[in-house]
């Protein structure tokens, strides 16, 4: 949006509490308005407070960027906006001044808002070129490099996150078998595990491992690796926002066409019918191409 409307002042309404910190420095972003996502004490008051912040400003344009968000439609309908852009679906009830039919082809969830913007505002944007990005500073990138060095990670680094949530989790033994096979093919590779908490034991204690609570510093550290592998989850998307080739492992509980990493250098691998050794061979093809 900033690329095509460089002078726009953008407010972002989200339900992710750390969004303001994560997106700090994003060009054109003025305010992040956080709506509560889950229940708890004072949820109604926090929701009304966020709504009050939203309605204090008159907008030229309000956008609901996805097809199926009830909260997005509530925000769209209640915002004080002259123009409202969204998808014209059978379940769309928010009043729209710019209604865009959903794409015929299946689009990645990261590309769908770009498609909406291009179609709704008649802009020369190619949704297929969309990718994730975080505006990391030189100081943050240096902090990420220092964190890797303190963890003893050096050489040609392959970063990984082995703790996907729920049914996306591949299991400790799967990762051990993967690394055994991969290091037979790439003995020069140096695995480094990014842990979800400081108390989480590493998959293999012989590998360098670290926990970085700041998502921006985590992303900065990933940016200093040569390859990143991960099941579908937040760290995969953070890695995908860097220039590091990122490989997402999918086991049937999410669709890589919708949620896989986006860059040309990235890959999504359906691991359901492959052994860890076969997956390692596919990852090695990407690794060897980067030498």
């Amino acid at each position: 949006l900033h690329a095509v409307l460089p002078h726009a002042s953008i407010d972002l309404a989200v339900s992710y509490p750390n969004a303001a910190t994560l997106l700090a420095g994003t060009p054109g972003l003025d305010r992040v308005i956080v709506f509560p996502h889950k229940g708890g004490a004072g949820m109604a008051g926090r929701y009304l407070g966020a709504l009050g912040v939203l309605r204090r400003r008159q907008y030229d344009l309000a956008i609901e960027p996805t097809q199926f968000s009830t909260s997005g439609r509530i925000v769209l309908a209640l915002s004080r906006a002259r123009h409202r852009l969204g998808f014209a679906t059978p379940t769309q009830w928010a009043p729209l001044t710019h209604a865009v039919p959903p794409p015929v082809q299946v689009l990645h969830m990261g590309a769908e808002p770009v498609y909406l913007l291009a179609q709704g505002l008649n802009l020369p944007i190619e949704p297929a070129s969309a990718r994730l990005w975080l505006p990391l500073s030189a100081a943050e990138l240096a902090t990420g490099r220092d964190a890797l060095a303190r963890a003893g990670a050096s050489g040609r680094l392959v970063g990984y996150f082995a703790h996907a949530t729920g049914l996306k989790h591949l299991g400790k033994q799967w990762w051990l078998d993967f690394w055994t096979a991969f290091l037979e093919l790439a003995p020069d590779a140096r695995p480094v595990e990014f842990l979800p908490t400081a108390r989480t034991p590493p998959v293999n204690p012989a590998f360098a491992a670290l926990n970085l609570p700041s998502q921006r510093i985590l992303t900065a550290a990933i940016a200093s690796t040569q390859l990143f592998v991960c099941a579908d989850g937040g760290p995969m998307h953070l890695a995908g926002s860097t220039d590091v080739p990122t490989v997402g492992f999918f086991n049937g509980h999410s669709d890589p066409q919708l949620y896989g990493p986006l860059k040309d250098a990235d890959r999504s691998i359906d691991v359901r019918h492959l052994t860890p050794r076969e997956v390692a061979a596919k990852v090695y093809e990407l690794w060897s191409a980067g030498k």
Side-chain angles (χ1 to χ4, degrees):
L1 183 61
H2 175 74
V4 295
L5 299 172
H7 302 296
S9 177
I10 303 167
D11 284 359
L12 182 65
V14 297
S15 57
Y16 179 57
N18 295 327
T21 301
L22 179 63
L23 300 175
T26 300
L29 184 60
D30 187 10
R31 298 187 305 178
V32 176
I33 305 170
V34 179
F35 284 78
H37 175 58
K38 297 181 179 180
M43 179 177 175
R46 286 182 286 125
Y47 194 97
L48 291 174
L51 186 60
V53 172
L54 177 78
R55 287 185 56 79
R56 277 198 286 273
R57 180 169 288 182
Q58 176 75 53
Y59 296 102
D60 294 304
L61 173 65
I63 304 171
E64 195 220 330
T66 61
Q67 296 187 48
F68 306 108
S69 172
T70 299
S71 59
R73 289 170 187 170
I74 292 173
V75 169
L76 186 72
L78 295 179
S79 65
R80 298 171 58 230
R82 290 194 301 151
H83 305 288
R84 295 181 176 88
L85 170 63
F87 284 107
T89 65
T91 57
Q92 175 63 266
W93 50 264
L96 300 175
T97 60
H98 294 66
V100 174
V104 176
Q105 72 279 25
V106 176
L107 286 181
H108 190 283
M109 292 300 291
E112 194 173 78
V114 179
Y115 170 87
L116 175 70
L117 197 65
Q119 295 293 312
L121 302 184
N122 194 26
L123 297 171
I125 309 172
E126 176 50 59
S129 67
R131 58 162 289 184
L132 303 181
W133 173 69
L134 276 181
L136 297 174
S137 67
E140 288 172 320
L141 291 169
T143 300
R145 290 192 296 270
D146 291 344
L148 288 171
R150 289 195 302 273
S154 62
R156 297 197 70 212
L157 301 177
V158 184
Y160 72 105
F161 184 85
H163 297 273
T165 58
L167 296 174
K168 300 175 187 178
H169 187 56
L170 298 174
K172 179 178 179 178
Q173 191 59 52
W174 189 97
W175 281 102
L176 289 171
D177 293 344
F178 168 83
W179 283 116
T180 296
F182 184 80
L183 292 174
E184 289 175 1
L185 297 170
D188 61 326
R190 297 292 179 265
V192 54
E193 182 176 2
F194 293 91
L195 301 170
T197 72
R199 296 183 178 182
T200 304
V203 167
N204 188 333
F207 298 161
L210 69 164
N211 165 251
L212 297 169
S214 165
Q215 292 174 326
R216 292 183 66 90
I217 301 304
L218 168 60
T219 309
I222 292 173
S224 289
T225 65
Q226 280 67 58
L227 181 69
F228 188 84
V229 296
C230 181
D232 177 25
M236 182 192 74
H237 298 300
L238 293 176
S241 73
T242 72
D243 292 332
V244 175
T246 300
V247 183
F249 299 145
F250 290 80
N251 63 358
H253 295 288
S254 53
D255 187 346
Q257 194 171 0
L258 296 177
Y259 300 105
L262 270 170
K263 301 191 302 292
D264 290 339
D266 297 341
R267 298 291 183 273
S268 296
I269 299 178
D270 186 339
V271 304
R272 285 176 294 177
H273 307 297
L274 299 173
T275 66
R277 182 170 293 274
E278 290 169 329
V279 174
K282 289 181 174 291
V283 174
Y284 177 71
E285 292 177 5
L286 185 61
W287 173 259
S288 58
K291 289 187 176 180

